[in-house]
């Protein structure tokens, strides 16, 4: 049934919805529309809202997970409903089974892919509305409680949060599932039921169909208190976050996005744990379990300064070098004796194994360096025993000792491109996140290695690009991987031999 302004069951419900929406006619409002009860109610209410506020730009997004044999039919039904209501619908198909890895939850993978699809659609300031209600909030709280979550996890779902370039809103959190069902029946709404919602092998469904009915039977008004617990935990989490931010600003290591071990150890263990979680959250990395966090506190922070501790979880590594602790993706393993010809120095060289891109000409033009013979240049990687001449220094020097002198973390040393002319090592390209991230971009997806010449020309290059570092750090982007990644801001040449 198409809604109208005279519908007697709308006004009180819409009051809460309108308050949840950000003002501004230029903002697009998207509804995450599955076609189930909850999102059908929200779609109906949004149509009423648009009738009363025609300037609102409202569209719907349907995610086809491909998990049910009925998935394609549901997508068609959603399209038909939206056409009837005069609402544009975007249908996105995702492949959950393809992305599912051993040890990962089907629910979690589906959720991650779903929100990644939403994020791709949202532009700056756009709003995404989901139809989560107070029963969902209570279930989420219990799920997190059974997993041993802390205040942040027990905060459950916030009413508003950033999502990509826009914001995620949950305007139905004040309402129960029973109230939504009552609303739907009074407005003669129809919806489909996802058969997977009845499968109690999924944790949330087990809580919904087995545990919550027992709790409600004993405590009839339990949804309110459970939601208040989530609110109290959200406040506690905010306070912990503020404290972690203050600590983080005083714990910076010698390299960007590292922490100082010495400064960390000056805090209580509780504050160490708090700021480590905050640090990983800033880097958009998954939070470690309590066991892994304890491993970081004991095995990494309390290790000898010359040790090589390593803690891993979910494709993440935490390492220590000197007084700094680093986090990164697992390191590449290169085949032995890898030799890559660089046949045309006037063109960027894309390195294999996602190690990045080398561009000689771009930086040589700035530094006033000549091009070496084109047919004699190769890229190699450390095998041991390499030596190189450096400008303004006598004799040749062991690359191993230079790496130590330059404070290059040991795990990076075998990944550093070495530029050879014939059989002679002439350049060493080094990660140096302290200098000008974003130097000499070729395009939006790759960043270049500046290859320096003599000491004075190298210094002039550094002076040109140092200001870019502050802008890049302020943006806080491209810092997840310490390797020579295509998306990683890096790189300067530390040494070049004299001919």
């Amino acid at each position: 049934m198409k809604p109208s302004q005279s519908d007697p069951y709308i006004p009180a419900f819409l009051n809460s919805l309108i308050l949840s929406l950000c003002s501004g006619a230029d903002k697009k409002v998207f509804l995450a529309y599955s076609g189930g009860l909850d999102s059908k109610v929200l779609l109906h209410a949004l149509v009423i809202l648009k009738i009363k506020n025609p300037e609102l730009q409202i569209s719907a997004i349907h995610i086809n997970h491909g998990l049910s044999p009925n998935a394609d039919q549901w997508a068609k039904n959603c399209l038909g409903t939206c056409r009837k209501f005069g609402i544009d619908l975007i249908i996105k198909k995702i492949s959950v089974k393809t992305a599912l890895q051993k040890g990962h939850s089907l629910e979690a993978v589906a959720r991650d892919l779903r929100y990644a699809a939403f994020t791709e659609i949202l532009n700056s300031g756009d709003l995404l509305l989901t139809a989560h209600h107070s029963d969902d909030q209570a279930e989420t709280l219990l799920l997190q409680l059974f997993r041993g979550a802390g205040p942040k996890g027990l905060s459950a779902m916030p009413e508003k949060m950033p999502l990509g370039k826009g914001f995620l809103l949950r305007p139905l959190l004040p309402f129960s599932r029973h109230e939504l069902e009552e609303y739907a029946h009074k407005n003669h709404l129809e919806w489909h039921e996802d058969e997977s919602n009845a499968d109690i092998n999924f944790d949330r469904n087990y809580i919904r169909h087995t545990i919550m009915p027992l709790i409600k039977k004993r405590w009839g008004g339990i949804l309110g208190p459970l939601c208040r617990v989530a609110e109290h935990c959200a406040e506690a989490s905010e306070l912990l976050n503020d404290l972690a931010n203050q600590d983080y600003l005083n714990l910076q290591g010698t390299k960007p996005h590292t922490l100082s071990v010495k400064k960390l150890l000056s805090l209580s263990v509780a504050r160490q744990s708090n700021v480590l979680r905050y640090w990983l959250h800033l880097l958009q990395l998954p939070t470690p379990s309590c066991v892994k966090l304890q491993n970081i506190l004991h095995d990494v922070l309390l290790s000898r300064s010359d040790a090589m501790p390593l803690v891993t979880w979910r494709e993440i590594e935490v390492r220590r070098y000197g007084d700094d602790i680093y986090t990164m993706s697992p390191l590449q393993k290169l085949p032995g004796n890898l030799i890559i010809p660089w046949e045309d120095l006037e063109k960027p060289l894309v390195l294999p194994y996602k190690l990045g891109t080398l561009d000689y000409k771009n930086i040589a033009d700035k530094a006033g360096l000549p091009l070496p013979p084109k047919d004699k240049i190769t890229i190699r990687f450390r095998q041991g025993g390499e030596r190189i001449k450096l400008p303004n220094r006598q004799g040749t020097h062991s690359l191993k000792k230079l790496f130590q002198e330059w404070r290059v973390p040991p795990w990076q040393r075998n990944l550093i491109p070495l530029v050879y002319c014939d059989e002679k090592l002439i350049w060493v390209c080094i990660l140096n996140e302290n200098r000008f991230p974003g130097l000499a971009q070729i395009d939006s997806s790759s960043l270049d290695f500046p290859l320096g010449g003599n000491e004075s020309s190298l210094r002039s290059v550094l002076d040109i690009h140092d200001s870019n570092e502050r802008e890049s750090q302020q943006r806080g982007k491209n810092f997840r991987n310490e390797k020579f990644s295509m998306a990683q801001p890096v790189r300067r040449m530390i040494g070049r031999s004299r001919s």
Side-chain angles (χ1 to χ4, degrees):
M1 180 178 179
K2 193 168 183 176
S4 65
Q5 293 190 60
S6 59
D7 205 316
Y9 306 112
I10 295 298
F13 173 80
L14 274 186
N15 285 339
S16 174
L17 181 60
I18 293 171
L19 290 175
S20 299
L21 289 171
C22 294
S23 61
D26 59 330
K27 307 299 183 185
K28 290 185 177 180
V29 178
F30 292 94
L31 164 67
Y33 182 51
S34 69
L37 165 68
D38 311 335
S39 61
K40 187 64 172 283
V41 167
L42 187 52
L43 173 66
H44 185 270
L46 282 172
V47 173
I48 295 296
L49 185 63
K50 185 170 176 61
I51 292 173
K52 297 184 176 182
N53 301 271
E55 73 280 1
L56 283 175
Q57 303 177 58
I58 299 177
S59 302
I61 306 171
H62 176 79
I63 305 297
N64 184 342
H65 298 81
L67 295 174
S68 169
N70 302 312
D72 292 338
Q73 185 60 49
W74 292 339
K76 292 179 182 178
N77 294 344
C78 289
L79 182 60
T81 299
C82 287
R83 283 176 176 171
K84 182 176 68 175
F85 285 168
I87 298 294
D88 292 334
L89 177 68
I90 301 170
I91 298 177
K92 298 280 286 186
K93 198 163 188 175
I94 59 177
S95 181
V96 178
K97 290 183 178 179
T98 301
L100 188 62
Q101 298 179 1
K102 186 177 180 180
H104 290 244
S105 161
L106 178 68
E107 297 167 283
V109 172
R111 182 189 181 282
D112 290 345
L113 291 177
R114 183 165 61 249
Y115 278 90
F118 292 146
T119 301
E120 289 179 1
I121 294 172
L122 296 183
N123 291 316
S124 179
D126 288 349
L127 309 175
L128 175 71
L129 275 61
T130 63
H132 295 108
H133 44 71
S134 59
D135 287 77
D136 294 324
Q137 185 78 304
E139 293 162 7
T140 301
L141 174 69
L142 292 179
L143 266 175
Q144 295 294 337
L145 181 65
F146 296 156
R147 292 169 180 168
K152 183 177 180 181
L154 296 177
S155 302
M157 298 180 291
E159 288 189 343
K160 180 178 179 179
M161 62 179 287
L163 180 66
K165 297 178 181 178
F167 294 92
L168 170 64
L169 303 178
R170 297 183 174 98
L172 302 190
L173 282 182
F175 302 91
S176 69
R177 182 181 289 110
H178 175 73
E179 288 174 302
L180 299 190
E181 289 174 347
E182 187 177 53
Y183 174 95
H185 290 311
K186 288 180 178 178
N187 287 283
H188 310 288
L189 301 181
E190 296 179 353
W191 62 91
H192 67 247
E193 293 285 356
D194 185 339
E195 67 275 2
S196 69
N197 288 337
D199 185 353
I200 61 173
N201 288 313
F202 294 114
D203 292 342
R204 180 178 290 275
N205 289 341
Y206 184 81
I207 290 174
R208 177 178 301 167
H209 297 298
T210 305
I211 296 178
M212 284 302 296
L214 292 174
I215 294 176
K216 288 181 178 179
K217 186 176 180 180
R218 181 66 176 85
W219 297 280
I222 193 61
L223 288 183
L226 287 178
C227 290
R228 283 198 298 276
V229 170
E231 292 173 2
H232 295 327
C233 289
E235 292 178 358
S237 179
E238 185 175 354
L239 291 173
L240 289 172
N241 206 54
D242 290 344
L243 176 61
N245 181 61
Q246 295 174 22
D247 287 339
Y248 175 76
L249 295 176
N250 297 319
L251 297 176
Q252 303 297 305
T254 62
K255 301 289 183 65
H257 318 302
T258 64
L259 298 179
S260 165
V261 173
K262 182 178 180 180
K263 295 174 183 176
L264 267 169
L265 292 175
S266 68
L267 301 178
S268 67
V269 173
R271 287 175 69 175
Q272 291 172 22
S273 299
N274 189 43
V275 77
L276 284 170
R277 291 191 188 95
Y278 179 82
W279 172 57
L280 293 166
H281 177 71
L282 282 183
L283 299 181
Q284 302 176 20
L285 299 176
T287 303
S289 66
C290 290
V291 172
K292 293 296 184 180
L293 188 60
Q294 287 300 315
N295 289 344
I296 297 173
L297 293 173
H298 183 270
D299 300 343
V300 177
L301 297 189
L302 300 182
S303 67
R304 302 189 320 272
S305 60
D306 60 346
M308 292 281 291
L310 170 65
V311 176
T312 65
W313 74 95
R314 292 181 60 183
E315 302 300 317
I316 301 299
E317 296 181 346
V318 170
R319 295 174 178 266
R320 173 178 177 174
Y321 180 54
D323 187 53
D324 294 331
I325 60 171
Y326 299 73
T327 184
M328 65 201 75
S329 299
L331 300 177
Q332 293 278 355
K333 291 185 179 180
L334 305 183
N337 298 319
L338 177 62
I339 299 177
I340 305 166
W342 197 348
E343 297 174 351
D344 189 350
L345 294 180
E346 296 188 5
K347 295 181 180 179
L349 176 66
V350 178
L351 298 173
Y353 304 101
K354 300 181 181 179
L355 290 176
T357 300
L358 290 173
D359 185 280
Y360 175 79
K361 189 174 184 301
N362 207 353
I363 198 63
D365 289 345
K366 293 182 177 70
L369 302 174
L371 289 174
K374 297 181 180 179
D375 58 345
K376 296 183 178 181
I377 300 299
T378 57
I379 306 301
R380 308 182 188 187
F381 297 87
R382 185 173 174 235
Q383 301 296 315
E386 294 87 357
R387 301 186 69 83
I388 188 171
K389 283 187 177 182
L390 297 179
N392 303 321
R393 293 176 68 167
Q394 295 295 321
T396 62
H397 301 268
S398 161
L399 188 57
K400 177 181 178 180
K401 292 189 178 299
L402 289 173
F403 281 158
Q404 294 171 347
E405 177 185 332
W406 296 332
R407 303 295 297 167
V408 179
W411 57 85
Q412 291 179 359
R413 297 173 188 176
N414 291 340
L415 300 175
I416 291 172
L418 307 177
V419 183
Y420 279 77
C421 184
D422 286 332
E423 296 300 315
K424 183 179 181 181
L425 176 60
I426 59 171
W427 294 318
V428 178
C429 308
I430 282 254
L431 271 171
N432 186 358
E433 291 103 338
N434 281 328
R435 315 298 293 186
F436 54 88
L439 170 64
Q441 290 192 19
I442 300 171
D443 57 40
S444 61
S445 64
S446 64
L447 299 165
D448 311 328
F449 292 95
L451 302 181
N454 59 44
E455 201 167 272
S456 60
S457 65
L458 176 60
R459 185 176 298 111
S460 69
V461 174
L462 299 182
D463 292 342
I464 291 171
H465 296 283
D466 269 346
S467 61
N468 291 348
E469 180 194 4
R470 293 187 293 273
E471 180 181 352
S472 178
Q473 288 183 347
Q474 184 176 1
R475 290 196 305 267
K477 295 180 179 178
N478 298 331
F479 49 73
R480 291 187 59 177
N481 195 332
E482 302 232 22
K483 297 179 293 183
F484 291 92
S485 163
M486 293 289 287
Q488 172 69 23
V490 289
R491 290 134 177 162
R492 70 183 175 95
M493 194 285 285
I494 291 293
R496 181 192 176 190
S497 70
R498 294 170 293 182
S499 56

